[in-house]
Amino acid sequence: MSATKLTIIALAIAFVEARFGQEGLVQAEISALPFGDPGVAATLAGQSPGVLLAGAGPCEKLLLADEIVAQLGDDPAVIAAAISLVAAERNFNPSAVDTGDICADPSLPATEALRGIVPLFDPAVDGSDVENANSATSVQTPFDAVGLSVAEVAIAQGFTNFRAIDAAGTEVALAGLGAGAGAGAGAGDGAGAGDGAGAGAADDAAEDDAAEDDAAAGCNAGVDDAGDANAGDANAGDANAGDANAGNDDEADAGGAADFGLCDPTIRFEGGLGGRPADEFTFQSNDPAIEANQQEALNPDIIVNRICDELNNICEANDAAINACTAAQQSLKDQGLGVGDGEAVVTAFNDLILAA
């Protein structure tokens, strides 16, 4: 191999390591924080690389950033470390998708000092130069984020080549997203926007050109255009305004019974979890399989978000169950229940989830 080729390869490796070495830098910054109970900063730091991997949802790092502040306090050094995590670039698999994703949950991050910050993006993505410049600016002077998700802030600042993903891991359509990134989400969001319709309705809408057009414009293909979207469709009888999953089996409809499959969807608030002192209470899933995949947390939204994800990933739950989980999660937020509310959170969430 020529010296020139070796030099090019070495430079390419150095470039990759320089970019993704940020994972270690963020982890080290969090681990070095001299706040909170012994070992807590190191535990939180150990979770940071995982939320920057391609397999993690983009909202997970925002939940962890909130957890860092919740557990370690609001000292400027803590806020700075949490900001580093919010702004950090996430990996994505360019062989599977042509761009990365950004969190589309307007409630995240919940910590006011972390809002208005947009993330770095892989330089291979068209338009990332705009996003990366915006990210550097936002770390110093956050953008206006009142009522907006991080994804919406990114769009407002001129970056549109990405996929918007909500806290449940579902792709959603946002006004202003570029055709390349937003086309796939248009039908999905349109089909669900009116009544929380499931992914099946999005699939039906995408199969029909007229419904796809309406969905991309934010219309509910299953409600406003039921006759248009499903004319001649084998599922036309299911595509009514009260049907939450027109393209799937009736059992998975939001109006049907929730089936949580292999898992217990409830939560608990317990002292001494994860080696903590007996008088230190945190939230955790009641299901052993879900608990094995998620450390206990002071912020109940982290646990609930994991439960909603795992209902889809490992529990074999139906769409009605997953929809019930995300609805219960949103209800907690609407009621202002979260860190510090203990058993009130447990009661509210478990009552809602078990009533589904």
Side-chain angles (χ1 to χ4, degrees), residues 63-143:
L63 289 166
L64 180 58
D66 280 334
E67 183 75 356
I68 289 168
V69 178
Q71 294 207 38
L72 303 182
D74 59 358
D75 184 272
V78 175
I79 297 299
I83 285 175
S84 294
L85 180 59
V86 172
E89 178 187 328
R90 294 179 61 255
N91 299 344
F92 82 97
N93 183 357
S95 66
V97 290
D98 59 3
T99 187
D101 45 41
I102 298 179
C103 180
D105 186 331
S107 70
L108 296 174
T111 305
E112 186 60 34
L114 305 182
R115 295 187 63 78
I117 297 162
V118 293
L120 293 166
F121 229 73
D122 192 310
V125 174
D126 290 344
S128 60
D129 55 335
V130 172
E131 174 68 0
N132 291 336
N134 288 341
S135 179
T137 298
S138 68
V139 167
Q140 301 300 321
T141 307
F143 296 116

Coordinates of all heavy atoms in Angstrom, one line a residue, residues 63-143:
L63 N -33.6 12.8 28.5 CA -34.1 12.2 29.8 C -32.9 12.1 30.7 O -33.0 12.4 31.9 CB -34.8 10.9 29.6 CG -36.2 11.0 28.9 CD1 -36.6 9.6 28.4 CD2 -37.2 11.6 29.8
L64 N -31.8 11.6 30.2 CA -30.6 11.4 31.1 C -30.1 12.7 31.5 O -29.6 12.9 32.7 CB -29.5 10.6 30.3 CG -28.3 10.3 31.1 CD1 -28.5 9.6 32.4 CD2 -27.3 9.5 30.3
A65 N -30.1 13.7 30.6 CA -29.6 15.0 31.0 C -30.5 15.6 32.1 O -29.9 16.2 33.1 CB -29.6 16.0 29.8
D66 N -31.8 15.4 32.0 CA -32.7 15.9 33.1 C -32.3 15.1 34.4 O -32.4 15.7 35.5 CB -34.1 15.6 32.8 CG -34.7 16.7 31.8 OD1 -34.2 17.8 31.9 OD2 -35.6 16.4 31.1
E67 N -32.0 13.8 34.3 CA -31.7 13.0 35.5 C -30.4 13.5 36.1 O -30.3 13.4 37.4 CB -31.6 11.5 35.0 CG -31.4 10.6 36.2 CD -32.6 10.3 37.1 OE1 -33.7 10.9 36.8 OE2 -32.5 9.5 38.0
I68 N -29.5 13.9 35.3 CA -28.2 14.4 35.9 C -28.5 15.6 36.8 O -27.9 15.7 37.9 CB -27.3 14.8 34.7 CG1 -26.7 13.5 34.0 CG2 -26.1 15.6 35.2 CD1 -26.0 13.7 32.7
V69 N -29.3 16.5 36.3 CA -29.6 17.7 37.1 C -30.5 17.3 38.3 O -30.3 17.8 39.4 CB -30.4 18.7 36.2 CG1 -30.8 19.9 37.1 CG2 -29.5 19.2 35.1
A70 N -31.4 16.4 38.1 CA -32.3 16.0 39.2 C -31.5 15.3 40.4 O -31.8 15.5 41.6 CB -33.3 15.0 38.7
Q71 N -30.5 14.6 40.0 CA -29.7 13.8 41.0 C -28.5 14.6 41.6 O -28.1 14.4 42.7 CB -29.2 12.5 40.5 CG -30.3 11.5 40.2 CD -29.9 10.1 40.3 OE1 -29.1 9.7 41.1 NE2 -30.4 9.2 39.4
L72 N -27.9 15.5 40.7 CA -26.7 16.1 41.1 C -26.9 17.6 41.5 O -25.9 18.3 42.0 CB -25.6 16.0 40.0 CG -25.3 14.5 39.7 CD1 -24.2 14.5 38.6 CD2 -24.8 13.7 40.9
G73 N -28.0 18.2 41.2 CA -28.3 19.6 41.5 C -28.0 20.5 40.3 O -27.7 20.1 39.2
D74 N -28.2 21.8 40.6 CA -28.1 22.8 39.5 C -26.9 23.7 39.6 O -26.9 24.8 39.1 CB -29.4 23.6 39.5 CG -29.6 24.4 40.8 OD1 -28.8 24.2 41.7 OD2 -30.6 25.2 40.9
D75 N -25.8 23.1 40.2 CA -24.5 23.9 40.1 C -24.2 24.1 38.7 O -24.4 23.3 37.8 CB -23.5 23.0 40.8 CG -22.1 23.8 40.9 OD1 -21.3 23.7 39.9 OD2 -21.9 24.5 41.9
P76 N -23.5 25.3 38.4 CA -23.2 25.5 37.0 C -22.3 24.4 36.3 O -22.5 24.2 35.1 CB -22.3 26.8 37.1 CG -22.9 27.5 38.3 CD -23.2 26.4 39.3
A77 N -21.5 23.7 37.1 CA -20.7 22.6 36.5 C -21.6 21.5 36.1 O -21.4 20.8 35.1 CB -19.7 22.2 37.5
V78 N -22.7 21.2 36.9 CA -23.6 20.2 36.6 C -24.4 20.5 35.3 O -24.6 19.7 34.4 CB -24.6 19.9 37.7 CG1 -25.7 18.9 37.3 CG2 -23.9 19.4 39.0
I79 N -24.9 21.8 35.3 CA -25.6 22.2 34.1 C -24.7 22.2 32.8 O -25.2 21.7 31.8 CB -26.1 23.7 34.3 CG1 -27.1 23.8 35.5 CG2 -26.8 24.2 33.0 CD1 -28.3 22.9 35.3
A80 N -23.5 22.5 33.0 CA -22.6 22.5 31.8 C -22.4 21.1 31.3 O -22.4 20.8 30.1 CB -21.2 23.1 32.2
A81 N -22.3 20.1 32.2 CA -22.1 18.7 31.8 C -23.4 18.2 31.1 O -23.3 17.5 30.1 CB -21.7 17.9 33.0
A82 N -24.5 18.6 31.7 CA -25.8 18.2 31.1 C -26.0 18.8 29.7 O -26.5 18.1 28.8 CB -26.9 18.5 32.0
I83 N -25.5 20.0 29.6 CA -25.6 20.7 28.2 C -24.7 20.0 27.2 O -25.1 19.8 26.1 CB -25.2 22.2 28.4 CG1 -26.3 23.0 29.0 CG2 -24.8 22.8 27.0 CD1 -25.9 24.4 29.3
S84 N -23.5 19.5 27.7 CA -22.7 18.8 26.8 C -23.3 17.5 26.3 O -23.2 17.2 25.1 CB -21.4 18.4 27.5 OG -20.6 19.6 27.9
L85 N -24.1 16.9 27.1 CA -24.8 15.7 26.7 C -25.9 16.0 25.7 O -26.1 15.3 24.7 CB -25.4 15.0 27.9 CG -26.2 13.7 27.6 CD1 -25.3 12.6 26.9 CD2 -26.7 13.1 28.9
V86 N -26.7 17.1 26.0 CA -27.8 17.5 25.1 C -27.2 17.8 23.7 O -27.8 17.5 22.7 CB -28.5 18.7 25.7 CG1 -29.5 19.3 24.7 CG2 -29.2 18.3 27.0
A87 N -26.1 18.5 23.7 CA -25.5 18.9 22.4 C -24.7 17.9 21.7 O -24.4 18.0 20.5 CB -24.6 20.2 22.6
A88 N -24.4 16.8 22.3 CA -23.5 15.8 21.8 C -24.1 15.1 20.5 O -25.3 14.9 20.4 CB -23.2 14.7 22.8
E89 N -23.3 14.8 19.6 CA -23.7 14.1 18.3 C -24.0 12.6 18.6 O -23.3 12.0 19.4 CB -22.6 14.2 17.3 CG -22.9 13.5 16.0 CD -21.7 13.4 15.1 OE1 -20.9 14.4 15.1 OE2 -21.5 12.4 14.3
R90 N -25.1 12.2 18.1 CA -25.5 10.7 18.2 C -25.1 10.0 17.0 O -25.1 10.5 15.9 CB -27.0 10.6 18.4 CG -27.5 11.1 19.7 CD -29.0 10.9 19.8 NE -29.4 9.5 19.8 CZ -30.0 8.9 18.8 NH1 -30.2 9.6 17.7 NH2 -30.3 7.7 18.8
N91 N -24.7 8.7 17.2 CA -24.3 7.9 16.0 C -25.6 7.5 15.2 O -26.7 7.5 15.8 CB -23.6 6.6 16.5 CG -22.4 6.9 17.3 OD1 -21.8 8.0 17.2 ND2 -21.9 5.9 18.0
F92 N -25.4 7.2 13.9 CA -26.4 6.6 13.2 C -25.8 5.7 12.1 O -24.6 5.8 11.8 CB -27.4 7.6 12.6 CG -26.9 8.3 11.3 CD1 -27.3 7.8 10.0 CD2 -26.0 9.4 11.3 CE1 -26.9 8.4 8.9 CE2 -25.6 9.9 10.1 CZ -26.0 9.5 8.9
N93 N -26.5 4.7 11.6 CA -26.0 3.8 10.7 C -26.3 4.2 9.2 O -27.4 4.1 8.7 CB -26.7 2.4 10.9 CG -26.1 1.3 10.0 OD1 -25.2 1.6 9.2 ND2 -26.5 0.1 10.2
P94 N -25.3 4.8 8.5 CA -25.6 5.3 7.2 C -25.9 4.3 6.2 O -26.4 4.6 5.1 CB -24.2 6.1 6.9 CG -23.2 5.4 7.7 CD -23.9 5.0 9.0
S95 N -25.6 3.0 6.5 CA -26.0 1.9 5.6 C -27.5 1.6 5.7 O -28.0 0.9 4.8 CB -25.1 0.7 5.9 OG -25.5 0.1 7.1
A96 N -28.1 2.0 6.8 CA -29.5 1.7 7.0 C -30.4 2.9 6.7 O -31.5 2.8 6.2 CB -29.7 1.2 8.4
V97 N -29.9 4.1 7.1 CA -30.7 5.3 6.9 C -29.8 6.4 6.4 O -28.6 6.3 6.5 CB -31.4 5.8 8.2 CG1 -32.5 4.8 8.7 CG2 -30.3 5.9 9.3
D98 N -30.4 7.4 5.7 CA -29.6 8.4 5.1 C -29.4 9.7 6.0 O -28.7 10.6 5.6 CB -30.1 8.8 3.7 CG -31.6 9.4 3.8 OD1 -32.1 9.5 5.0 OD2 -32.1 9.7 2.8
T99 N -30.0 9.7 7.2 CA -29.8 10.8 8.1 C -30.1 10.3 9.5 O -30.6 9.2 9.7 CB -30.6 12.0 7.7 OG1 -30.3 13.1 8.5 CG2 -32.1 11.7 7.9
G100 N -29.7 11.2 10.5 CA -30.0 10.8 11.9 C -31.3 11.4 12.3 O -32.2 11.8 11.5
D101 N -31.5 11.4 13.6 CA -32.8 11.8 14.2 C -32.7 12.8 15.3 O -31.6 12.8 16.0 CB -33.7 10.6 14.5 CG -33.0 9.6 15.3 OD1 -32.2 9.9 16.2 OD2 -33.2 8.4 15.1
I102 N -33.7 13.5 15.6 CA -33.7 14.5 16.7 C -35.0 14.3 17.5 O -36.1 14.0 16.9 CB -33.6 15.9 16.2 CG1 -32.2 16.1 15.5 CG2 -33.7 16.9 17.3 CD1 -32.0 17.5 14.9
C103 N -35.0 14.5 18.8 CA -36.2 14.3 19.7 C -37.3 15.3 19.3 O -37.0 16.5 19.3 CB -35.8 14.4 21.1 SG -37.2 14.2 22.3
A104 N -38.5 14.8 19.2 CA -39.6 15.7 18.8 C -40.6 15.8 20.0 O -41.8 16.1 19.8 CB -40.3 15.1 17.6
D105 N -40.2 15.5 21.2 CA -41.0 15.7 22.4 C -40.9 17.1 22.9 O -39.8 17.4 23.5 CB -40.7 14.6 23.4 CG -41.6 14.6 24.6 OD1 -42.2 15.7 24.9 OD2 -41.8 13.6 25.2
P106 N -41.9 17.9 22.9 CA -41.7 19.3 23.3 C -41.6 19.5 24.8 O -41.2 20.5 25.3 CB -43.0 20.0 22.9 CG -44.0 18.9 22.7 CD -43.2 17.7 22.3
S107 N -41.8 18.4 25.6 CA -41.6 18.5 27.0 C -40.1 18.2 27.5 O -39.8 18.3 28.6 CB -42.5 17.5 27.8 OG -42.1 16.1 27.5
L108 N -39.3 17.8 26.5 CA -37.9 17.4 26.8 C -36.9 18.4 26.1 O -37.1 18.8 25.0 CB -37.6 16.0 26.3 CG -38.4 14.9 27.0 CD1 -38.2 13.6 26.4 CD2 -38.1 14.9 28.5
P109 N -35.8 18.7 26.8 CA -35.6 18.4 28.2 C -36.5 19.2 29.1 O -36.9 20.3 28.8 CB -34.1 18.7 28.4 CG -33.8 19.8 27.4 CD -34.7 19.4 26.2
A110 N -36.8 18.7 30.3 CA -37.7 19.4 31.2 C -37.0 20.5 32.0 O -37.6 21.4 32.4 CB -38.3 18.4 32.2
T111 N -35.7 20.3 32.1 CA -34.9 21.3 32.8 C -34.7 22.6 32.0 O -34.2 22.6 30.9 CB -33.5 20.8 33.1 OG1 -33.6 19.5 33.8 CG2 -32.7 21.7 34.0
E112 N -35.2 23.7 32.5 CA -35.2 25.0 31.7 C -33.8 25.3 31.2 O -33.7 25.8 30.1 CB -35.8 26.1 32.6 CG -36.0 27.4 31.9 CD -37.0 27.2 30.7 OE1 -37.9 26.4 30.8 OE2 -36.8 27.9 29.7
A113 N -32.8 25.1 32.0 CA -31.5 25.5 31.7 C -30.9 24.7 30.5 O -29.9 25.1 29.9 CB -30.5 25.4 32.9
L114 N -31.6 23.6 30.2 CA -31.1 22.8 29.1 C -31.9 22.9 27.8 O -31.6 22.3 26.8 CB -31.2 21.3 29.5 CG -30.5 20.9 30.8 CD1 -30.7 19.4 31.0 CD2 -29.0 21.3 30.7
R115 N -32.9 23.8 27.8 CA -33.8 24.0 26.6 C -33.1 25.0 25.7 O -32.4 25.8 26.0 CB -35.2 24.5 27.1 CG -35.9 23.4 27.9 CD -37.3 23.8 28.2 NE -38.1 23.9 27.0 CZ -38.6 22.9 26.2 NH1 -38.4 21.7 26.7 NH2 -39.3 23.2 25.2
G116 N -33.5 24.8 24.4 CA -33.0 25.7 23.3 C -31.7 25.3 22.8 O -31.1 26.1 22.0
I117 N -31.2 24.1 23.2 CA -29.9 23.7 22.7 C -30.1 22.6 21.6 O -30.9 21.7 21.8 CB -29.0 23.1 23.8 CG1 -28.7 24.2 24.8 CG2 -27.8 22.5 23.3 CD1 -28.3 23.7 26.2
V118 N -29.5 22.7 20.5 CA -29.6 21.7 19.4 C -28.4 20.9 19.3 O -27.3 21.4 19.6 CB -30.0 22.4 18.1 CG1 -31.4 23.0 18.1 CG2 -28.9 23.4 17.7
P119 N -28.5 19.6 18.8 CA -27.3 18.7 18.8 C -26.5 18.9 17.6 O -26.9 19.3 16.5 CB -28.0 17.4 18.9 CG -29.3 17.6 18.1 CD -29.7 19.0 18.5
L120 N -25.2 18.4 17.8 CA -24.3 18.3 16.6 C -24.8 17.1 15.8 O -25.5 16.2 16.2 CB -22.9 17.9 17.1 CG -22.2 19.0 17.9 CD1 -21.0 18.5 18.6 CD2 -21.8 20.2 17.0
F121 N -24.5 17.2 14.5 CA -24.9 16.2 13.5 C -23.8 15.7 12.7 O -22.8 16.4 12.4 CB -26.0 16.8 12.6 CG -27.3 16.0 12.5 CD1 -28.1 15.8 13.6 CD2 -27.5 15.2 11.4 CE1 -29.3 15.1 13.5 CE2 -28.7 14.5 11.3 CZ -29.5 14.4 12.3
D122 N -23.8 14.5 12.2 CA -22.8 13.9 11.4 C -22.5 14.7 10.2 O -23.4 15.1 9.4 CB -23.2 12.5 11.0 CG -22.1 11.6 10.4 OD1 -21.4 12.2 9.5 OD2 -21.9 10.5 10.8
P123 N -21.2 15.1 10.0 CA -20.9 15.9 8.8 C -21.2 15.3 7.5 O -21.3 16.1 6.5 CB -19.4 16.1 9.0 CG -19.1 15.9 10.4 CD -20.1 14.8 10.8
A124 N -21.5 14.0 7.4 CA -21.8 13.4 6.1 C -23.2 13.7 5.7 O -23.6 13.5 4.5 CB -21.7 11.9 6.3
V125 N -24.1 14.3 6.6 CA -25.4 14.6 6.3 C -25.5 16.0 5.7 O -25.0 16.9 6.2 CB -26.3 14.5 7.6 CG1 -27.7 15.0 7.3 CG2 -26.3 13.1 8.1
D126 N -26.2 16.1 4.5 CA -26.4 17.4 3.9 C -27.1 18.3 4.9 O -28.1 18.0 5.5 CB -27.3 17.2 2.6 CG -26.6 16.5 1.5 OD1 -25.4 16.4 1.6 OD2 -27.3 16.0 0.6
G127 N -26.6 19.5 4.9 CA -27.1 20.6 5.8 C -26.6 20.5 7.2 O -26.9 21.4 8.0
S128 N -25.7 19.5 7.5 CA -25.2 19.4 8.9 C -24.3 20.6 9.3 O -24.1 20.9 10.5 CB -24.4 18.1 9.1 OG -23.3 18.0 8.2
D129 N -23.7 21.3 8.3 CA -22.9 22.4 8.6 C -23.7 23.5 9.2 O -23.2 24.2 10.2 CB -22.2 23.0 7.3 CG -23.2 23.3 6.2 OD1 -24.3 22.7 6.2 OD2 -22.9 24.1 5.3
V130 N -25.0 23.7 8.8 CA -25.9 24.6 9.4 C -26.2 24.2 10.8 O -26.1 25.0 11.8 CB -27.2 24.8 8.6 CG1 -28.2 25.6 9.3 CG2 -26.9 25.3 7.2
E131 N -26.5 22.9 11.0 CA -26.9 22.4 12.3 C -25.7 22.5 13.3 O -25.9 22.9 14.5 CB -27.4 21.0 12.2 CG -27.6 20.3 13.5 CD -28.8 20.9 14.3 OE1 -29.5 21.8 13.8 OE2 -29.1 20.4 15.4
N132 N -24.5 22.2 12.8 CA -23.4 22.2 13.7 C -23.0 23.6 14.2 O -22.6 23.8 15.3 CB -22.2 21.4 13.1 CG -22.4 20.0 12.9 OD1 -23.2 19.4 13.7 ND2 -21.8 19.3 12.0
A133 N -23.1 24.5 13.3 CA -22.9 25.9 13.6 C -24.0 26.4 14.6 O -23.6 27.1 15.6 CB -22.9 26.8 12.4
N134 N -25.2 26.0 14.4 CA -26.3 26.3 15.3 C -26.1 25.7 16.7 O -26.4 26.3 17.7 CB -27.6 25.9 14.8 CG -28.1 26.7 13.6 OD1 -27.7 27.8 13.4 ND2 -29.0 26.1 12.8
S135 N -25.6 24.5 16.7 CA -25.3 23.8 18.0 C -24.3 24.5 18.8 O -24.5 24.8 20.0 CB -24.8 22.3 17.7 OG -24.6 21.7 18.9
A136 N -23.2 24.9 18.1 CA -22.1 25.7 18.8 C -22.7 27.0 19.4 O -22.4 27.4 20.5 CB -21.0 26.0 17.9
T137 N -23.6 27.6 18.6 CA -24.2 28.9 19.1 C -25.1 28.6 20.3 O -25.1 29.4 21.3 CB -25.0 29.5 18.0 OG1 -24.1 29.9 16.9 CG2 -25.7 30.8 18.4
S138 N -25.9 27.6 20.2 CA -26.9 27.3 21.2 C -26.3 27.0 22.6 O -26.9 27.2 23.6 CB -27.9 26.2 20.8 OG -27.2 24.9 20.7
V139 N -25.1 26.3 22.6 CA -24.5 26.0 23.8 C -24.1 27.3 24.6 O -24.2 27.3 25.8 CB -23.2 25.2 23.6 CG1 -22.4 25.1 24.8 CG2 -23.6 23.8 23.1
Q140 N -23.8 28.3 23.8 CA -23.5 29.6 24.5 C -24.7 30.4 24.7 O -24.9 31.0 25.8 CB -22.5 30.4 23.6 CG -21.2 29.7 23.3 CD -20.4 29.4 24.6 OE1 -20.4 30.2 25.5 NE2 -19.8 28.2 24.6
T141 N -25.6 30.5 23.8 CA -26.8 31.3 23.9 C -28.0 30.4 23.3 O -28.2 30.4 22.1 CB -26.7 32.6 23.0 OG1 -25.6 33.3 23.4 CG2 -28.0 33.4 23.3
P142 N -28.7 29.8 24.2 CA -29.8 28.9 23.7 C -30.8 29.6 22.9 O -31.1 30.8 23.1 CB -30.4 28.4 25.0 CG -29.3 28.5 26.0 CD -28.6 29.7 25.7
F143 N -31.4 28.9 21.9 CA -32.5 29.5 21.1 C -33.8 29.5 21.8 O -33.9 28.8 22.8 CB -32.6 28.7 19.8 CG -31.4 28.7 18.9 CD1 -30.7 27.5 18.7 CD2 -31.0 29.9 18.3 CE1 -29.5 27.6 17.8 CE2 -29.9 29.9 17.5 CZ -29.1 28.7 17.3

